[in-house]
Amino acid sequence: MSNRGSHKEFPDGELRGEQEFIDGLYARVDALREDTGTAVSEALAQGSTPMQARLERDITVAERSRQLAALNAVDGSLCFGRIDLTSGTSHHIGRIGLRADDADRTPMLIDWRADVARPFYLATGHTPMGLRRRRHLTTEGRRVTALHDEILDLGDETRTGHEDPTGDAVLLAALNSARTGRMSDIVQTIQAEQDRIIRAPHRGVLVVEGGPGTGKTAVALHRAAYLLYEHRELLAKRAVLIVGPNPAFLGYIGEVLPALGETGVLLATVGELFPGVRATAKDAPEAARVKGGAAMADVLAAVVRDRQGLPDPVIAIEHDREVLMLDDDLVRVARERTREADLPHNVAREHFEGHILNTLTDLMAERIGTDPYDGTNLLDPSDITQIRDELAENPEVWAAIDRLWPRLTPQRLVADFLAEPDGYVSEEDADAIRRPVTRAWTTSDVPLLDEAAELLGVDDRVARAAAELEREEQIAYAQGVLDVSYASRTYEFDDKEEDDPEASEVLSAHDIIDAERFAERQEEDDHRSAAERAAADRTWTFGHIIVDEAQELSPMAWRLLMRRSPTRSMTLVGDPAQTAEEAGVGAWSDILAPYVEDRFEHTRLGVNYRTPAEIMELAAGVVRAQHPDFRPPSSVRSTGVRPWARRAVADLPGEVAKAVAELSPAEGRLAVIAPRELHRSLAARLDGVTAGAEPDLTRTVVLLDPRQAKGLEFDSVLVVEPGRFGTSDLYVALTRATQALGIVHTEELPSALAPAAEHH
């Protein structure tokens, strides 16, 4: 609801003025929402319409629906700033752009992504970029609650009473606010180094490296929003893909882009990028390492080649009271000629079928058509063709072809290989990846399925034939409609021509469109968004791909993603120091060299906005124990609350429960980060806490392992048995807190955590 009239509650003129503006802004939003909803309803209610009107209706529905989704998503947090220029002009800045309903369509609110809004993020007292003042508006719903002004033109003596001497009040308030279990956008507090990355040119591969809390994920998401704004026409058609490390993380970031007015982005894990397959099982680390290795591409290629068999020793085919023998030599020739075409297995099968039919035809022709006296062949070309056609109807021929060059699916190929990997990988690796055919798919399996799909291809002859038959039926039907239309028009105008000679010049559908074109126009339109269509199409190529925690992806996962980005338009964010997966590549050059060599741009975020200095100092010591030259990001704040460690003498779950009670914030969220094998016993002692693969991050207390915690943040964190974690996992666990960190253990503490034990 609008807060019209609420400005009377503000004795302060500046607050009152901003509230009046916000009231007017939301009045415009409400009117737009009503008009947009009406336009969509009216368009959908048109039903069957002429072709041009139908096209216009569909465009209206798509565009208006997008506008309505954007308006609904940003309601309550629409405007967050204002810039006052030295020229006397002022602009309000918000999550989307809005224009007034006047003849000039005057801008009311400037989209944060527009060039004119950029000084809001980059201007400083040293480089004011034409600004006199920058104002941050704090709102709750549609009510203005606070203003923070920064004076950038030091020669301007005008003051409002809302000056922020440091310019950090809004940023610090955001950093210290209670977490909700969902990431918030940072559009109000984007810093200069982040803005430069968000607005980087849309070309090639951009690598954004940064330690914990540097805002890598937020920058990547805002970059997606910026690219969709700047390159709307291209990316609306091809969609943007955002790849995250796990479903919980995707749920955590899922509200950021809608809050920025963008709803047409596909968020997925690698395990969700093969349509029809959802990875629900988890591999052991060694199995993930083997499956993720680059060598698996060659292994699967060998598996496919081995499915292109040879007779052992011959295949006998009975045809027309004759027995034709397909031996090793004959099939080998057909196989090699087929392979020379360099086509995917299933696509190449058509060539193999042709070679085998030709071979059998030659055998049959020689058997029945050779003159016994002089050895000449008495058959003419039509006889040969007839023999080939008859062989093509022999079930034994097709049984032989199916045996020698079977149609294969990626699922069957990979499942069979994993059930019997011996002979393709080392004995040790085979033991690591061997599993029953019926087992659920894992995330590491999905790149293998994608690789298999590339090697196999799709034999779509049956589908093409069915589609052609359907098309012919549609054209025939359309021709009938046009014929009826023409006959009706002829009958109607025969009687009018004497009275109105121009009547015969009126055009009918029959005059301007033929049956084939008419049938195409009447086909059912696909109203799915680009993101929805991309999710269902393995061969889809995206306009841009953003990968979070990119250092964790295996070489095989990178092969999958690069197929989906032939233009190599990508933003990769991550931190090699946090690489934890066995199959993770880690170094950016190792990841990208096979695809772009050294042609990628690398930038680093060096400021930690999440983790207080006291916690960051302890966490950095863990990494320095192995890498003495390690440099962590610099924390922007100190809370004065030092992390502590406590030894549990006997009852670890009980001690954890006590620590949770101590650490739980009055508002916000607490994470217990513990080894997976302890989750069940810990959950039994923590009220409302469950152990599971996909935790609910909106709960007050959540139980995670370090891999599940990647990319997330909480007000308080309790780390349990840190000695069981590897260096990367421990570094991740220690750097999730925005306020307080505690450690509970029964086993020996890593030496780098000794300061925490001393403090306690």
Side-chain angles (χ1 to χ4, degrees), residues 102 212 359 505 702 740:
D102 56 24
T359 298
E505 300 302 318
V702 62

Side-chain angles (χ1 to χ4, degrees), residues 184-373:
S184 300
D185 66 68
I186 60 168
V187 66
Q188 188 172 358
T189 58
I190 293 172
Q191 303 300 293
E193 68 169 355
Q194 297 171 329
D195 184 82
R196 283 188 285 272
I197 295 170
I198 289 169
R199 299 174 192 261
H202 173 232
R203 62 174 182 269
V205 177
L206 172 64
V207 174
V208 182
E209 182 179 331
T214 54
K216 301 182 299 296
T217 299
V219 166
L221 294 172
H222 287 69
R223 176 161 170 74
Y226 171 76
L227 292 176
L228 284 163
Y229 172 85
E230 192 71 9
H231 307 280
R232 175 73 62 192
E233 185 174 350
L234 169 64
L235 296 184
K237 293 178 181 177
R238 301 309 314 161
V240 172
L241 170 66
I242 298 179
V243 179
N246 55 60
F249 175 83
L250 295 180
Y252 175 67
I253 68 172
E255 297 176 5
V256 174
L257 285 168
L260 298 175
E262 299 297 344
T263 57
V265 176
L266 177 62
L267 278 68
T269 65
V270 169
E272 296 168 329
L273 288 177
F274 193 89
V277 168
R278 186 174 180 83
T280 57
K282 185 175 178 61
D283 270 319
E286 185 62 17
R289 180 193 66 77
V290 176
K291 292 179 182 180
M296 289 304 298
D298 292 332
V299 168
L300 289 175
V303 173
V304 172
R305 289 175 68 87
D306 283 351
R307 298 300 190 273
Q308 300 163 359
L310 296 172
D312 183 23
V314 297
I315 297 176
I317 297 174
E318 184 176 348
H319 182 74
D320 198 19
R321 296 190 298 275
E322 299 286 344
V323 177
L324 306 177
M325 308 297 286
L326 273 177
D327 61 24
D328 182 282
D329 291 337
L330 291 174
V331 175
R332 190 184 302 276
V333 170
R335 186 176 70 173
E336 293 310 311
R337 288 178 178 174
T338 301
R339 287 176 174 175
E340 288 172 1
D342 195 25
L343 294 170
H345 172 88
N346 288 332
V347 179
R349 177 182 157 113
E350 184 175 2
H351 292 257
F352 184 75
E353 293 169 1
H355 290 308
I356 292 298
L357 284 170
N358 290 340
T359 298
L360 291 172
T361 299
D362 291 343
L363 291 175
M364 191 67 182
E366 182 179 359
R367 185 78 56 84
I368 67 174
T370 303
D371 189 308
Y373 297 103

Side-chain angles (χ1 to χ4, degrees), residues 180-182 248 669-670 688-704 708 712 714:
T180 65
R182 292 289 181 262
R669 301 294 182 270
L670 181 147
V689 175
T690 58
E694 297 186 19
D696 180 359
L697 300 178
T698 63
R699 288 181 175 271
T700 303
V701 180
V702 62
L703 180 60
L704 308 167
Q708 292 174 312
L712 308 181
F714 304 88

